[in-house]
Amino acid sequence: MHSTADQGLTLSRAVVTGAAGFIGSHLVESLLADGISVVGVDRRTPLRDPAAAANLGHVLDDPNFTFVTADLRTSPLVPLFRRADAVFHLAALPGVRGSWGERFAEYTACNVFATERVASACEDARVPRLVYASSSSVYGNSGGATDEETAPCPESPYAVSKLAGEQLCLAHARQAASTVTAVALRLFTVYGPRQRPDMLIGRALTAALGGPRLNLYGDGSHTRDFTYVGDVVGAALAAATGPLDTTVLNVGAGVSTSVLDLLSTVEELTGHAVPVDRLPAQAGDVDATLADRSKAAAVLGWKPHTTLLQGVSHQLSHLTARSLRP
Ligand code: NAD
């Protein structure tokens, strides 16, 4: 299998790093549903980590799926990547708030050092396509819709680490001898079933359903471009197969929603108020994110299909089905 700017790729075998995570597990599911063989790599194993087991439980028995427990900071990667048509690199330490202070060493190791190892192994294994999960956080406090020409201005150590990871993938792909085309997808606040427990929508739904009260950082006027996980997976698949040169693309719904409006949506869908504890805004949390998605539309033919109401409703159904399970 090979990639050129004008031909695109057909996938028969893919590697997903961060496969046991929220977005990674959805991507694995979608690739398998398309008949593609998948090697999922994660340092969390479904055998010992209940969250990983919940994320991957329904695909572990699929004969086209191989799960490999490996830490990208240390494990040999070339043998894992050999014969892959695409590597989707989603493994990272996510989250802005935890990235300040002592834990930055781990953020650097998992988000920067490990990404350099992944990009380098893609080159050595002659992988045609590397799709990297970058983040809208690289833009910082932009004040309006950002396109890919907007100068990055990261506001947190996490955002710096994601920008570094993205640029490492691009730098490897630009080497004259490299056979890799790298596509960095700047993902805007992703939500949906199995969302990470630290993220807003899952916490708000849980609070409305009688779980722990929601810690609301700031006054709720800050806005986010909430993007449904199924739409993100669609963009990742298009980025892996499309006739592309090495590039950066925004993947966002393109809709600005304040946190207070989001809470109203949650209240509308659950029929319950969201009990809130108000806390000061946290360092690194930006006031607004919003994607200009024209470039992804032009080069991938990608557009989101899921409205916030539909997406939060799917997430709610998943949450209630899970809590009803014996
Ligand atoms: P997640 O925490 O659910 O998944 C990340 C996975 O990476 C975890 O299972 C973790 O164990 C694994 N991992 C971390 N370090 C590793 C290492 N050294 N070796 C092997 N595995 C390792 O996070 P997510 O929300 O699914 O995010 C996936 C990717 O998307 C991340 O790169 C994140 O930065 C990016 N992203 C997410 C969002 C979002 O809103 N969720 C937005 C922008 C970008």
Side-chain angles (χ1 to χ4, degrees), residues 40-48 67-71 75:
V41 185
D42 207 293
R43 65 177 177 168
R44 296 196 287 178
T45 166
L47 291 175
R48 282 190 295 278
F67 182 80
V68 177
T69 309
D71 193 317
S75 297

Side-chain angles (χ1 to χ4, degrees), residues 65-108:
F65 183 57
T66 308
F67 182 80
V68 177
T69 309
D71 193 317
L72 299 174
R73 295 172 294 183
T74 47
S75 297
L77 299 179
V78 175
L80 289 177
F81 292 0
R82 224 170 253 137
R83 297 194 303 113
D85 304 313
V87 169
F88 296 89
H89 178 39
L90 277 68
L93 279 192
V96 165
R97 291 178 204 124
S99 68
W100 299 95
E102 297 245 320
R103 272 201 91 197
F104 187 57
E106 201 185 350
Y107 275 77
T108 318

Side-chain angles (χ1 to χ4, degrees), residues 86-149:
V87 169
F88 296 89
H89 178 39
L90 277 68
L93 279 192
V96 165
R97 291 178 204 124
S99 68
W100 299 95
E102 297 245 320
R103 272 201 91 197
F104 187 57
E106 201 185 350
Y107 275 77
T108 318
C110 290
N111 298 3
V112 183
F113 177 65
T115 298
E116 207 286 327
R117 293 191 81 235
V118 166
S120 178
C122 283
E123 264 199 88
D124 292 346
R126 302 183 74 76
V127 175
R129 187 72 50 98
L130 168 60
V131 179
Y132 173 72
S134 184
S135 165
S136 61
S137 64
V138 304
Y139 292 120
N141 240 331
S142 58
T146 45
D147 65 21
E148 294 80 354
E149 300 304 313

Side-chain angles (χ1 to χ4, degrees), residues 22-23 42 44 71-72 90 134 158 162 190 196 199:
F22 160 46
I23 305 172
D42 207 293
R44 296 196 287 178
D71 193 317
L72 299 174
L90 277 68
S134 184
Y158 164 74
K162 293 305 290 183
V190 187
R196 289 194 337 260
M199 296 190 72

Side-chain angles (χ1 to χ4, degrees), residues 9-316:
L9 275 169
T10 309
L11 298 187
S12 52
R13 186 180 160 89
V15 174
V16 178
T17 76
F22 160 46
I23 305 172
S25 63
H26 282 274
L27 179 59
V28 167
E29 200 174 305
S30 183
L31 288 162
L32 291 171
D34 286 348
I36 296 160
S37 292
V38 180
V39 176
V41 185
D42 207 293
R43 65 177 177 168
R44 296 196 287 178
T45 166
L47 291 175
R48 282 190 295 278
D49 183 310
N55 286 345
L56 284 176
H58 48 299
V59 294
L60 284 175
D61 290 338
D62 190 313
N64 277 331
F65 183 57
T66 308
F67 182 80
V68 177
T69 309
D71 193 317
L72 299 174
R73 295 172 294 183
T74 47
S75 297
L77 299 179
V78 175
L80 289 177
F81 292 0
R82 224 170 253 137
R83 297 194 303 113
D85 304 313
V87 169
F88 296 89
H89 178 39
L90 277 68
L93 279 192
V96 165
R97 291 178 204 124
S99 68
W100 299 95
E102 297 245 320
R103 272 201 91 197
F104 187 57
E106 201 185 350
Y107 275 77
T108 318
C110 290
N111 298 3
V112 183
F113 177 65
T115 298
E116 207 286 327
R117 293 191 81 235
V118 166
S120 178
C122 283
E123 264 199 88
D124 292 346
R126 302 183 74 76
V127 175
R129 187 72 50 98
L130 168 60
V131 179
Y132 173 72
S134 184
S135 165
S136 61
S137 64
V138 304
Y139 292 120
N141 240 331
S142 58
T146 45
D147 65 21
E148 294 80 354
E149 300 304 313
T150 306
C153 188
E155 295 266 349
S156 68
Y158 164 74
V160 170
S161 76
K162 293 305 290 183
L163 183 60
E166 164 190 306
Q167 294 300 319
L168 283 164
C169 294
L170 301 184
H172 275 276
R174 282 191 207 109
Q175 298 311 301
S178 175
T179 55
V180 186
T181 303
V183 185
L185 303 178
R186 291 179 175 166
L187 310 182
F188 286 67
T189 316
V190 187
Y191 73 99
R194 310 198 296 268
Q195 191 186 36
R196 289 194 337 260
D198 58 297
M199 296 190 72
L200 174 70
I201 296 185
R203 289 191 294 118
L205 286 168
T206 307
L209 297 176
R213 294 167 68 82
L214 176 72
N215 283 344
L216 177 64
Y217 300 102
D219 64 5
S221 64
H222 47 298
T223 58
R224 290 290 177 270
D225 189 349
F226 295 106
T227 310
Y228 188 65
V229 66
D231 289 324
V232 169
V233 166
L237 295 176
T241 53
L244 296 176
D245 290 316
T246 287
T247 194
V248 174
L249 296 170
N250 284 345
V251 174
V255 178
S256 169
T257 304
S258 75
V259 170
L260 291 180
D261 284 345
L262 181 269
L263 296 186
S264 301
T265 301
V266 168
E267 294 183 343
E268 186 187 328
L269 285 168
T270 58
H272 300 290
V274 179
V276 160
D277 286 331
R278 288 181 184 273
L279 295 167
Q282 299 284 292
D285 274 349
V286 297
D287 294 336
T289 63
L290 180 60
D292 178 328
R293 52 183 172 78
S294 354
K295 186 172 170 191
V299 304
L300 296 181
W302 173 83
K303 62 173 189 201
H305 296 286
T306 312
T307 65
L308 187 66
L309 196 63
Q310 290 167 333
V312 178
S313 171
H314 292 325
Q315 190 166 340
L316 171 62

